[in-house]
Amino acid sequence: MSALGPLVLAYVLLFLAPFVMFARLSLYKTTGLGTYGHQLTLVNYRELLTTGSDLLLLWHTVELCLVTSVLCCLIGYSVGFYCAYSGRYGSAIFTLCIGLVFTNTVVRALGWVAVLSQDNWIVRLFSLGGSARLTGTFEGVVIATVSAGTPLLVLLIVPVLRAIPEELPQVAHSLGASELYTQWRITWPLSRYGVISGGLLVFASTAAAFTTPSLLGGGRVNVLSLVIQQDVTTYLDYPDAAAAGVVLLVIVALVVAGVSFVVGRRATARRLGVANSPAEVEPAAELSISVTPL
Amino acid sequence: MSAAAKGAGKTPQMGGWHLGLRAVSRGWLVLCLVFLVLPLAFCVIASLQGQIGPFVLPKSYSLAAYGNIPGIFFSAAWTSARLALSASILALVVSLPAALWVGRRTGAGSRVFEALFKSSAQVPSIIIGVSLYSYYVKAQSVIGFGARGTFLGLLIGHFVLVEPYMFTTLTARAATLPADLEEAAQTLGASRWFVLWRVQLPLMLSAVVSALLLCAVLSFDDVAVSLFLIGPGVTTLSVAMYSFAEQSLSPVVFAVGVLTILAVFVVVVPVQRLIDRDRREIGAGSRRARMGA
């Protein structure tokens, strides 16, 4: 038990206690710059969940995270599939993704600012002939968050795809199945849970991100995490920040739990026992946020 | 069947339609890769600009930005490096015994502890930063000592941020440790410290190195926690870049970004690849041993 002692103490003192105190802050009412009354009240939550502008804020947050995860899954699956099944450039691309994940998000966001803030053909391509610049728009933020989340998804999907026994698609081909059919009926069902798990991870990390929406949104794209940051650093409105934090946490938890529940009820792949051996999986893949595929 | 044996999905292609599909999927792949690399490429380009032009490429190039990097970035980088190292090592020291304890057991009790030790990864990291900030303020008014704005304060924040990743990696490896080696050592009279230091740790070494690397990188790249815990004279590189970029987008901040990218690709990536290869060999070796013995 002494093995666990220090860590338990650390968690209780340095994480749980601050978190509980912070959550309790959300129940106080702001009375001025940096001050708040000490009576318990739900007014912060009521404002956050009923005001029109705040509901729009919540919707923007959820929309950003959803769109990002879906796009990341689409792009990440294609790249991951290539990585897993093609030896030639596959490992080079995998290394590239490792490097991208380890690169600072601020640096990547800055790179996108450099691309999207000028009127050039790349911007024209992305906005399909629309606006002259993509900074300060929702689309610009989506582009940056997708490019930030995709390498992570690739890193999570490749081990899952590699864990599928090679014989299965080969047998399908020898029995006359086309490539598309094999992918749809064999590869996809076996890798589905890894993709969903990765998608949820991207969802959660996009919900937590505020540097990317801040740098690329130019003040016009508002998400919950940005509100928290502004509340604490600029407005000194701690109760509101705390309420926003709790709401953000609840949103992420609900989405993750909801998707896991829906997916878990159709878990037929479980029986096929496609499990990743711990020694081969990237550490991040094991940090499933209450979704353990299989 | 040898063509099919070379890898799933590579059937002998016959017919233009298949070839067309191949070309389309290759094209799509190239587009995706370009999409991923574009921000990095533009960071480089933007750092070299002499003057911003209306087109994709700047009108003139110069390396002046690299010479003009303000000193704050260097001191911030140094702080970030110290922070990454100390937070990772602290997490390692505290997590290793716990990981070894939890790794073997599958009961409900160990599950609870496991959930506890992964809990700080379940919340958005900004909440860790903000809650610690108000915690420090409160501590200052209650016990007179506040870690707000100090290195210690940042260290605590990074520790909480990074610890679940350290714990998960170590636990995954601890779960595959062969128990018979430890039992053999103990029956031969080894003390618990000896077993830890000379038997378990060498077996876990690649996981330890991999986890240290992951945690160091996560700590180095973090903004969400650090932004609220910095103070006068104590700031991290990511926060410095972020604050700078919020005000102006001069080539200097792009130059710092490029240096960061170089550091990642030149240092971190080869180390990570070595670790992965090493871990795969360990995994294969232990499987062989188990099957053979």
Side-chain angles (χ1 to χ4, degrees), chain A residues 118-139:
Chain A
Q118 304 159 22
D119 178 16
N120 49 50
W121 58 268
I122 298 182
V123 172
R124 294 268 170 80
L125 182 73
F126 272 124
S127 56
L128 301 169
S131 52
R133 36 163 50 204
L134 277 176
T135 48
T137 67
F138 186 76
E139 292 76 21

Side-chain angles (χ1 to χ4, degrees), chain A residues 7 11 13 22 78 82 91 94-95 102 104 110-112 115 118-121 173 179 214 225 245 283 287 289, chain B residues 9 11 13 28-29 39 42 54-56 94 117 121-122 126-127 130 135 163 168-169 217 221 238 242 268-269 273:
Chain A
L7 199 53
Y11 260 96
L13 271 184
F22 180 70
S78 8
Y82 183 77
S91 64
F94 192 78
T95 310
F102 284 163
N104 219 318
L110 283 178
W112 278 114
V115 177
Q118 304 159 22
D119 178 16
N120 49 50
W121 58 268
H173 287 136
E179 210 168 315
S214 161
S225 45
L287 231 96
I289 308 184
Chain B
T11 52
Q13 301 296 349
W28 167 247
L29 185 73
F42 264 82
F55 302 105
V56 176
V94 183
F117 298 149
Q122 315 288 351
I126 184 173
I127 292 188
V130 177
Y135 192 62
E163 207 281 330
T168 308
T169 312
V217 169
D221 288 349
S238 323
Y242 177 65
V268 170
V269 171
R273 292 298 283 174

Side-chain angles (χ1 to χ4, degrees), chain B residues 61-114:
Chain B
Y61 292 91
S62 92
L63 282 172
Y66 288 90
N68 287 339
I69 298 179
I72 182 88
F73 285 114
F74 292 110
S75 63
W78 176 234
T79 310
S80 279
R82 282 188 302 152
L83 209 49
L85 203 61
S86 26
S88 316
I89 292 181
L90 185 62
L92 175 68
V93 165
V94 183
S95 304
L96 189 58
L100 287 169
W101 193 93
V102 171
R104 324 305 185 58
R105 296 169 169 79
T106 49
S110 74
R111 286 243 189 280
V112 166
F113 282 115
E114 206 173 330

Side-chain angles (χ1 to χ4, degrees), chain A residues 91-253:
Chain A
S91 64
I93 297 178
F94 192 78
T95 310
L96 174 69
C97 288
I98 294 179
L100 282 172
V101 166
F102 284 163
T103 318
N104 219 318
T105 37
V106 175
V107 171
R108 284 188 284 181
L110 283 178
W112 278 114
V113 170
V115 177
L116 299 176
S117 61
Q118 304 159 22
D119 178 16
N120 49 50
W121 58 268
I122 298 182
V123 172
R124 294 268 170 80
L125 182 73
F126 272 124
S127 56
L128 301 169
S131 52
R133 36 163 50 204
L134 277 176
T135 48
T137 67
F138 186 76
E139 292 76 21
V141 177
V142 169
I143 290 172
T145 48
V146 168
S147 121
T150 309
L152 187 63
L153 205 77
V154 170
L155 290 187
L156 295 180
I157 285 182
V158 169
V160 173
L161 285 174
R162 284 201 181 132
I164 298 176
E166 265 189 359
E167 302 86 53
L168 295 179
Q170 283 175 15
V171 164
H173 287 136
S174 70
L175 288 173
S178 72
E179 210 168 315
L180 275 174
Y181 187 85
T182 315
Q183 278 211 31
W184 179 242
R185 291 300 297 254
I186 295 186
T187 316
W188 169 242
L190 287 177
S191 55
R192 186 167 55 187
Y193 296 100
V195 174
I196 292 177
S197 169
L200 287 176
L201 194 66
V202 170
F203 184 91
S205 63
T206 310
F210 66 89
T211 54
T212 310
S214 161
L215 287 174
L216 275 134
R220 265 173 279 168
V221 175
N222 226 2
V223 287
L224 263 180
S225 45
L226 208 50
V227 164
I228 299 175
Q229 186 227 335
Q230 286 165 352
D231 269 343
V232 173
T233 52
T234 314
Y235 304 125
L236 301 183
D237 188 355
Y238 302 116
D240 195 52
V246 170
V247 169
L248 182 66
L249 183 61
V250 166
I251 288 179
V252 173

Side-chain angles (χ1 to χ4, degrees), chain B residues 25-272:
Chain B
S25 60
R26 288 277 186 275
W28 167 247
L29 185 73
V30 168
L31 269 179
C32 290
L33 290 175
V34 166
F35 174 69
L36 291 179
V37 175
L38 206 59
L40 301 187
F42 264 82
C43 218
V44 175
I45 292 176
S47 71
L48 296 174
Q49 67 192 10
Q51 193 188 359
I52 302 183
F55 302 105
V56 176
L57 300 173
K59 282 191 168 153
S60 64
Y61 292 91
S62 92
L63 282 172
Y66 288 90
N68 287 339
I69 298 179
I72 182 88
F73 285 114
F74 292 110
S75 63
W78 176 234
T79 310
S80 279
R82 282 188 302 152
L83 209 49
L85 203 61
S86 26
S88 316
I89 292 181
L90 185 62
L92 175 68
V93 165
V94 183
S95 304
L96 189 58
L100 287 169
W101 193 93
V102 171
R104 324 305 185 58
R105 296 169 169 79
T106 49
S110 74
R111 286 243 189 280
V112 166
F113 282 115
E114 206 173 330
L116 172 66
F117 298 149
K118 292 186 187 175
S119 56
S120 69
Q122 315 288 351
V123 306
S125 43
I126 184 173
I127 292 188
I128 299 177
V130 177
S131 62
L132 270 179
Y133 174 75
S134 61
Y135 192 62
Y136 292 159
V137 169
K138 187 92 185 200
Q140 179 137 42
S141 68
V142 167
I143 58 177
F145 169 72
R148 183 166 57 119
T150 65
F151 187 82
L152 177 66
L154 276 168
L155 179 62
I156 293 175
H158 281 228
F159 168 76
V160 171
L161 175 74
V162 150
E163 207 281 330
Y165 299 88
M166 171 70 67
F167 180 78
T168 308
T169 312
L170 291 180
T171 311
R173 179 64 183 121
T176 65
L177 280 183
D180 35 356
L181 290 177
E182 295 160 50
E183 286 166 14
Q186 278 172 335
T187 53
L188 289 171
S191 70
R192 272 222 319 235
W193 279 111
F194 191 91
V195 171
L196 177 70
W197 188 244
R198 297 291 296 265
V199 178
Q200 292 175 320
L201 202 51
L203 285 175
M204 294 187 64
L205 201 57
S206 67
V208 165
V209 172
S210 163
L212 279 176
L213 187 66
L214 177 68
C215 294
V217 169
L218 283 173
S219 154
F220 202 87
D221 288 349
D222 163 77
V223 177
V225 173
S226 316
L227 188 62
F228 305 99
L229 302 178
I230 56 166
V234 183
T235 181
T236 68
L237 184 63
S238 323
V239 170
M241 279 201 287
Y242 177 65
S243 317
F244 197 95
E246 267 190 316
Q247 293 162 3
S248 87
L249 283 176
S250 86
V252 160
V253 69
F254 290 104
V256 177
V258 170
L259 292 177
T260 324
I261 297 174
L262 279 177
V264 166
F265 277 94
V266 164
V267 172
V268 170
V269 171
V271 174
Q272 180 69 44

